[in-house]
Amino acid sequence: MKNMNMISISAITSGSTLLVVALTTTLLLSGCKNVPPMTSGIGSEQIAPGQKYSQYLQVHNAELSKKLHISDIRTRTHNDLLELNLSLTSTYEKTLKLQYQFTWFDKEGFVIEAGKSPWKPLNLHGMQTAIVPGLAPTPRVASYSLYVREIPEKFFRY
Amino acid sequence: MKNLILITGIALTLTLATGCTNKSVVRYGDATAVETTDINFGSTDLQKVAAEMTDSLLVSPVVGTLTANTRPILFVESIKNKTSEHIDTESITDSISTKLLRSGKFRFVDMDRVTAVRKQLDYQQSSGMVDPSKAMQFGKQVGAQYMLYGNLASIVKSNKDQSDVYYKFTLRLMDLQSGLVEWADETEIRKTKGKEFISW
């Protein structure tokens, strides 16, 4: 009888050790922590047509700037509206899932239709250069700024 | 031995109680940010379609000629929803007409509010409450010169791993006098949904 007890106790001990190890492993593997997505990107300060755009570029996300750069910005006035062509060049082999936004300013530097300019999605394939058009919403626009960032994907990682 | 079981029990309870639970959290989001919640027609698609159509209309050479000396008067007919989804196409036309109106190039008449206008004019003319010299007159409204109308169509395909949806939005501008289509354009959207291996 004593022997029987000894056996059952040792079985429980090894069982619970196993349980602890299993639980720890499961927790480590499946553990969850919500990592906030990276929402910074590359962009520009206010640029008026005719100004050299390269002096106004800003990099807020060094990781993205290794994969993507603004290679050209062209502007013209068409039907009284400022039209621009933004060239984005990828130096990355894989597809970049991006979103871009233009912001428009009047001649005093005040923002026009704040918050109404939508972020537009753009898939940039490996090493591709895409030309993205933008059009001022009203003839009052005198300068613009732009911003490009990756579409944040929420991953739950340990 | 008993201690070990007790400690495991407490640790497990603590983990379950404080650890990875799903808490519902309310946050304000960015109304203009790209939204990829699911594959259906979403806010990003609506904003993209409205912005591209407005831009295309405003830079077209025909519209440059039409709006050179005058602000043409438009009315929005409707966007036919030919997709398999329920989509509020009036919301798309609202966005497009608002953007066009704010560009200062066009003027609009709103056919959805004719009954309300008639009711108000009836009140002003026949209720006896309004000074006749200050009442708005019947028969003074300006007629639309152009009609804006279009279609939204979709092709949906899926297999067990992937779903793909393609939207095509067509918009046209018709001269009501001559019946000629003065401008037309279309924009496309493709969205795919598939399983992705996420690693860390």
Side-chain angles (χ1 to χ4, degrees), chain A residues 12-13 16-17 20 23 27 29 32 78-81 83 97 99 101 113 115-121 135 137-139 149 151 155 157, chain B residues 1 4-5 8 12 15 20 27 30 32-34 36 44 47-48 51-52 54-55 58-60 63-64 99 102-103 105 196 198-200:
Chain A
I12 290 169
T13 314
S16 53
T17 314
V20 172
L23 270 174
L27 278 175
L29 284 178
C32 44
H78 194 79
N79 290 355
D80 305 330
L81 299 167
E83 194 183 4
K97 287 174 183 143
Q99 53 184 333
Q101 184 188 43
E113 309 208 338
K116 284 188 190 162
S117 176
W119 287 91
K120 289 188 199 167
L135 185 75
T138 77
R149 60 187 178 119
I151 296 178
F155 290 162
R157 303 180 198 187
Chain B
M1 179 56 233
L4 187 64
I5 296 171
T8 314
L12 198 70
T15 315
C20 314
R27 287 192 193 93
D30 181 356
T32 57
V34 169
T36 53
T44 301
Q47 287 164 356
K48 186 175 185 284
E52 283 185 5
T54 318
D55 289 1
L58 289 174
V59 294
S60 80
V63 170
K99 279 173 192 284
R102 291 183 67 85
S103 75
K105 299 271 183 189
E196 254 176 47
I198 298 166
S199 62
W200 58 83

Side-chain angles (χ1 to χ4, degrees), chain B residues 2-3 8 13 19 47 75 79 88 93 103 110 136-137 148-149 156 178 197:
Chain B
K2 272 187 179 173
N3 278 348
T8 314
T13 317
Q47 287 164 356
F75 96 94
I79 307 291
D88 180 8
T93 52
S103 75
D110 196 341
M136 297 294 119
Q137 302 293 310
L148 205 57
Y149 63 103
V156 181
S178 63
F197 180 73

Side-chain angles (χ1 to χ4, degrees), chain B residues 145-160:
Chain B
Q145 299 160 288
Y146 298 92
M147 176 171 85
L148 205 57
Y149 63 103
N151 286 316
L152 178 64
S154 75
I155 298 170
V156 181
K157 285 193 166 186
S158 61
N159 60 24
K160 68 179 168 53

Side-chain angles (χ1 to χ4, degrees), chain B residues 166-177:
Chain B
Y166 164 86
Y167 293 105
K168 192 178 76 171
F169 183 85
T170 315
L171 196 66
R172 290 182 170 170
L173 184 72
M174 184 194 273
D175 185 332
L176 288 171
Q177 190 88 52

Side-chain angles (χ1 to χ4, degrees), chain B residues 22-128:
Chain B
N22 282 325
K23 290 172 194 157
S24 70
V25 182
V26 179
R27 287 192 193 93
Y28 279 101
D30 181 356
T32 57
V34 169
E35 164 264 321
T36 53
T37 313
D38 66 12
I39 202 166
N40 295 337
F41 197 85
S43 64
T44 301
D45 304 319
L46 193 154
Q47 287 164 356
K48 186 175 185 284
V49 160
E52 283 185 5
M53 284 291 121
T54 318
D55 289 1
S56 164
L57 182 58
L58 289 174
V59 294
S60 80
V62 176
V63 170
T65 321
L66 293 180
T67 58
N69 301 312
T70 172
R71 291 167 65 202
I73 302 158
L74 267 57
F75 96 94
V76 182
E77 202 260 324
S78 70
I79 307 291
K80 282 195 185 121
N81 179 9
K82 293 182 171 177
T83 69
S84 48
E85 290 171 57
H86 168 75
I87 297 170
D88 180 8
T89 55
E90 202 181 335
S91 179
I92 307 174
T93 52
D94 280 350
S95 292
I96 293 173
S97 57
T98 307
K99 279 173 192 284
L100 289 177
L101 195 59
R102 291 183 67 85
S103 75
K105 299 271 183 189
F106 294 96
R107 289 178 293 175
F108 281 84
V109 288
D110 196 341
M111 296 312 289
D112 292 345
R113 291 290 181 266
V114 169
T115 321
V117 172
R118 176 178 289 277
K119 208 171 151 190
Q120 177 58 221
L121 289 191
D122 271 337
Y123 166 76
Q124 295 192 10
Q125 289 294 325
S126 49
S127 68

